[in-house]
């Protein structure tokens, strides 16, 4: 294991997580007016509808699938499903979601680069972010044929154990990825890089999406009619 491998999979994850959390907090505290998705729908809505919906459906499924799939200890699901079967489910469902997300981000990237008005109103970070997401989804799809070569789930278990060691601050995480192919390693390194740039891009609006869950527990609003003074009277 060389020093670059040690840095990427032992140290770099903590740098990315620290910047992701602290950067998001600082941006919310100091620059709240930039905390938005900066939609370009007013400039052209056609491709945006298809691209945005496909991208969000695919990426949200992949995000939660990766989170629960990699951070759930093997002993919790072992009585119900084997590692090989879990890997097969992940390959099929992740492949479908990845394809949806890839088509969606390709539409969004083409729209942003080909429409002169949209491109002129785009920040450099907008275009760089779309290219990063495009490459990440392409690499994710490229891992599926490699995963099909070891359907026993052995590599999946190593990747999950790496993630669990990182979040629980246990050593030796990088050693688990020595035998992983370069596509797996590049996919993981690029995924961490997306977390690194997260606070400096429009991705921060993702936090607002999670914040809307607070509305579920929010008390009902009492509406009073100014003329009648009766709560809830619609007249």
């Amino acid at each position: 294991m060389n020093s670059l491998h040690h840095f990427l999979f032992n140290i770099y994850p903590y740098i990315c997580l620290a910047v992701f959390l602290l950067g998001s907090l600082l941006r919310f505290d100091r620059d709240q007016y930039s905390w938005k998705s900066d939609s370009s729908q007013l400039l052209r809505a056609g491709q945006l509808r298809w691209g945005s919906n496909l991208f969000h459906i695919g990426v949200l499924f992949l995000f939660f699938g990766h989170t629960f799939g990699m951070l759930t200890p093997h002993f919790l699901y072992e009585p119900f499903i084997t590692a090989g079967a879990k890997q097969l489910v992940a390959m099929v469902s992740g492949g479908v979601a990845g394809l949806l997300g890839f088509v969606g981000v390709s539409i969004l990237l083409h729209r942003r680069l080909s429409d002169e008005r949209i491109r002129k109103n785009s920040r450099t970070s907008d275009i760089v972010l779309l290219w990063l997401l495009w490459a990440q989804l392409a690499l994710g799809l490229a891992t599926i044929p490699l995963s099909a070569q070891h359907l026993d789930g052995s590599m999946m278990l190593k990747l999950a154990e790496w993630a669990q060691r990182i979040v629980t601050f246990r050593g030796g995480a990088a050693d688990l990825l020595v035998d992983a192919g370069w596509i797996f390693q590049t996919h993981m390194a690029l995924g961490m890089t997306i977390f690194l740039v997260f606070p400096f891009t429009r991705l921060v609006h993702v936090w607002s999406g999670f914040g809307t869950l607070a509305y579920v527990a929010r008390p009902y609003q009492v509406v009073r009619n100014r003329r009648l003074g009766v709560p809830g009277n619609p007249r």
Side-chain angles (χ1 to χ4, degrees):
M1 182 176 65
N2 57 39
S3 56
L4 178 60
H5 182 90
H6 173 77
F7 171 78
L8 284 177
F9 301 109
N10 263 342
I11 301 172
Y12 190 53
Y14 296 110
I15 296 175
C16 295
L17 286 173
V19 173
F20 167 67
L21 294 173
L22 293 177
S24 297
L25 181 62
L26 287 172
R27 180 167 176 180
F28 181 76
D29 182 61
R30 300 175 64 87
D31 200 10
Q32 291 187 23
Y33 287 108
S34 70
W35 193 277
K36 54 185 178 178
S37 62
D38 279 334
S39 175
S40 57
Q41 184 176 2
L42 291 175
L43 299 178
R44 196 174 84 190
Q47 282 185 309
L48 179 64
R49 186 178 299 108
W50 279 102
S52 180
N53 287 336
L54 289 173
F55 171 74
H56 282 89
I57 291 170
V59 166
L60 286 174
F61 183 92
L62 291 171
F63 174 77
F64 289 108
H66 278 69
T67 301
F68 290 106
M70 296 188 71
L71 298 182
T72 303
H74 177 57
F75 71 86
L76 289 180
Y77 62 81
E78 187 178 17
F80 311 102
I81 185 172
T82 64
K86 179 175 179 285
Q87 176 177 311
L88 189 59
V89 170
M91 289 169 57
V92 174
S93 60
V96 172
L99 188 59
L100 291 177
F102 182 74
V103 172
V105 78
S106 297
I107 293 173
L108 295 176
L109 186 58
H110 173 267
R111 174 179 176 272
R112 192 162 290 277
L113 294 178
S114 63
D115 191 298
E116 186 177 356
R117 291 176 66 204
I118 296 175
R119 183 160 188 169
K120 285 184 176 179
N121 284 276
S122 299
R123 299 186 183 92
T124 302
S125 62
D126 297 334
I127 297 174
V128 171
L129 177 62
L130 283 175
W131 276 116
L132 287 175
L133 293 169
W134 187 92
Q136 179 68 348
L137 287 165
L139 285 169
L141 291 171
T143 63
I144 295 177
L146 297 178
S147 298
Q149 298 175 11
H150 39 75
L151 292 175
D152 59 349
S154 57
M155 181 55 67
M156 179 196 69
L157 291 176
K158 288 184 179 180
L159 297 176
E161 178 64 19
W162 170 83
Q164 291 165 32
R165 289 194 182 192
I166 290 296
V167 299
T168 55
F169 302 98
R170 288 181 288 157
D175 298 335
L176 296 165
L177 303 182
V178 172
D179 297 328
W182 70 269
I183 293 181
F184 281 109
Q185 294 185 8
T186 307
H187 181 57
M188 296 172 72
L190 186 57
M192 291 184 284
T193 302
I194 292 174
F195 278 90
L196 181 72
V197 303
F198 182 101
F200 313 106
T201 67
R202 63 173 62 199
L203 281 178
V204 291
H205 78 278
V206 174
W207 285 117
S208 300
F210 289 112
T212 58
L213 296 176
Y215 279 84
V216 176
R218 175 177 159 174
Y220 288 107
Q221 286 183 312
V222 178
V223 180
R224 296 182 180 275
N225 188 292
R226 295 184 63 182
R227 289 178 298 172
L228 302 179
V230 180
N233 193 315
R235 294 189 301 167

